[in-house]
Structure formats: C-alpha cells, structure tokens
Amino acid sequence: MQSRRQSASIYQRLKQRRMRRWRWLLVLIIVGLIGGAGYGVFHWWQLRHQTMMAKYPVTGAAIDQDAGFLDFQALSKTGVKFVYLKTTVGNRYTDDDFAGNYSRSGGSGNTLKVGVYMVYSPNSPVLSQTTYFEKQVGSDTGTLPIMVSVPDTGSSFGSTKAIERTVARLTAMITTLRTDYQQPVLLWTSIDGYQALKGKLSHTMFSLDDSKLTKRSPQDVQFISYDDNGSLIVAGERQSMSLMVYNGSKQSFDALSNE
C-alpha cells in the first residue's frame, strides 16, 4: 500500500506533467496566432500590392549606391520596366556606383529603360550644379526624361520667399539641362513640394513621393515613388531601392522612352 507521501509525490508529478502540457499547448496557440496574423498581413499586403499595380502596369525603381552591386538583367526579370540611376548631389558629390550601374544597365539583351536623376541643393549655385552634373555624367543620360530631385526642406519651401527663390533657381536649371541635352526634365519632389511648385514652372512635369499612390493626371505627374525604403529580390538577394511606377499606360511609356 502506498504511503501518503508516495501518493502526494505521484500526484505532484502528474500535476507538473499536466502543467507542462498546458504550457506547450499555450505556446503552440500563441505561435499559431502569430503565424496566422503574419500570414494575414502578408496576404493583405499582396492583395493591396496587386490591386495597386493593376492600376500601374509599368513599374520601376530608383537606384543608388546603397543597392550594392546589381545584376540589371536579373532585375528586369522581376517585372521592373525602368530604372532611374542616381548621379550627383549639388556640386560636389557623385554616387559611387553611377558609372558601373549605367554601364551594366544597358547590357546586351536588357529590356530595362534607363533614366538618371540628380539631387538639387538649395545651398549651391545653380550653374555649378549643372556644370558638375554634365562633367560627371557626360552623355550618359539614358532615354527617359532627366529627373531633378528636390529635397523637401525649409530652404526650398519654408516660406513664400523660399518658394520664389526655388522656382527661379529650378527654372534656370531646367532650361540649361533641356538646352544642353535636348531631353525633357522632370522634378521629383514631395506632395508639399508639388503643391508649392505646381503652376509656377511652365511646361514642367513631376515625379512624386506618394506612398498611397494617389491617382493623378498623367499630364501633371509622370512617375510616382511609393516606397523610398523598398527592396526587391534580385537573383536571390534582397537589394535596396526606391520603388516607383509610371503614371500612365504602357503605350504612353513606350512613346516617352523612344530613343
């Protein structure tokens, strides 16, 4: 016959086993809930992405040295149709990977359309910025419109006087680039920058930062950057780039990018 101490010991072990089972069951339930929520979020993101992309059949990316070495033919297989390559910032900085990116992006059999963009500085003389750009880039400007990225700063848009100064400086910059390259020139800016500049620069179109991909007239906005911190899996490796779309039909994009 078992003693009370033995019975208590057996009961205690059974109780501990049941507690361990409940703990494991609780862990499995929590993991299942987290996994289900994660799948739900991923599924929602996929549906949202597919819905947005259905409205914009031409997708692309803006690329700088943060992307690292990039296989552009592999990039074209992800569905991307165009790339914008970063060139210069102001009058003293050149993206380290521009020359290599430009050379590889035009490789044999590559179907990507290529454009370039420079970053405007409100603190450097306009002439020195365009001269520096032309010296560093030469004739390597691709077949898409040249893009000028205008940072959303107080120096550019902080007051009525700042906006007037920015308009005058960008007008001079755009005129120089159009004359020297015989290519269209776009301004890449924030929604606030767009509101400040729209209507003040004649015959100038825009590229916008807009994570919501708000539908806008293709006559005013040609490209939209919807994820500045985006990435794509290229040849099995995740690489950083700003994800963009062309705000129009495939036919109008083909006409835009004709050589």
Side-chain angles (χ1 to χ4, degrees), residues 87-108:
T87 58
T88 59
V89 179
N91 61 0
R92 60 179 60 189
Y93 171 81
T94 301
D95 188 276
D96 291 341
D97 288 345
F98 168 67
N101 282 339
Y102 191 88
S103 177
R104 292 193 308 278
S105 66
S108 176

Side-chain angles (χ1 to χ4, degrees), residues 69-256:
F69 182 87
L70 193 57
D71 182 336
F72 284 89
Q73 292 202 32
L75 177 61
S76 68
K77 294 177 182 178
T78 68
V80 165
K81 298 295 190 296
F82 68 89
V83 290
Y84 264 95
L85 307 178
K86 185 176 183 180
T87 58
T88 59
V89 179
N91 61 0
R92 60 179 60 189
Y93 171 81
T94 301
D95 188 276
D96 291 341
D97 288 345
F98 168 67
N101 282 339
Y102 191 88
S103 177
R104 292 193 308 278
S105 66
S108 176
N110 192 0
T111 60
L112 289 173
K113 301 296 183 181
V114 179
V116 300
Y117 74 96
M118 62 181 292
V119 180
Y120 162 83
S121 170
N123 303 315
S124 303
V126 169
L127 180 59
S128 68
Q129 293 187 60
T130 54
T131 300
Y132 183 71
F133 169 82
E134 294 185 8
K135 179 180 179 181
Q136 299 301 315
V137 172
S139 60
D140 294 339
T141 56
T143 60
L144 296 174
I146 296 170
M147 197 178 290
V148 178
S149 175
V150 185
D152 192 354
T153 64
S155 299
S156 295
F157 308 116
S159 65
T160 300
K161 186 174 181 180
I163 294 172
E164 290 175 352
R165 176 176 181 269
T166 300
V167 169
R169 286 166 58 85
L170 290 176
T171 297
M173 180 174 283
I174 291 168
T175 299
T176 298
L177 293 173
R178 283 175 176 166
T179 300
D180 292 349
Y181 285 101
Q182 296 298 301
Q183 282 179 255
V185 178
L186 302 178
L187 294 180
W188 181 5
T189 185
S190 66
I191 294 175
D192 288 342
Y194 174 65
Q195 295 300 331
L197 298 175
K198 182 182 178 183
K200 296 181 175 65
L201 293 158
S202 60
H203 308 297
T204 300
M205 298 184 70
F206 290 83
S207 175
L208 290 188
D209 287 320
D210 184 1
S211 61
K212 296 181 179 179
L213 277 177
T214 306
K215 192 66 178 176
R216 301 178 188 275
S217 168
Q219 281 69 45
D220 297 323
V221 176
Q222 284 196 324
F223 296 90
I224 303 173
S225 172
Y226 65 93
D227 190 350
D228 283 343
N229 298 309
S231 62
L232 290 174
I233 303 296
V234 182
E237 180 180 350
R238 183 172 295 277
Q239 296 188 263
S240 301
M241 58 193 75
S242 295
L243 303 180
M244 307 179 75
V245 295
Y246 172 69
N247 186 34
S249 67
K250 186 178 184 302
Q251 290 75 18
S252 62
F253 176 77
D254 290 339
L256 175 73

Side-chain angles (χ1 to χ4, degrees), residues 16 18-28:
Q16 289 174 348
R18 285 197 294 268
M19 288 297 294
R20 285 196 293 269
R21 288 172 185 166
W22 276 109
R23 288 195 194 101
W24 276 111
L25 181 60
L26 182 60
V27 169
L28 289 174

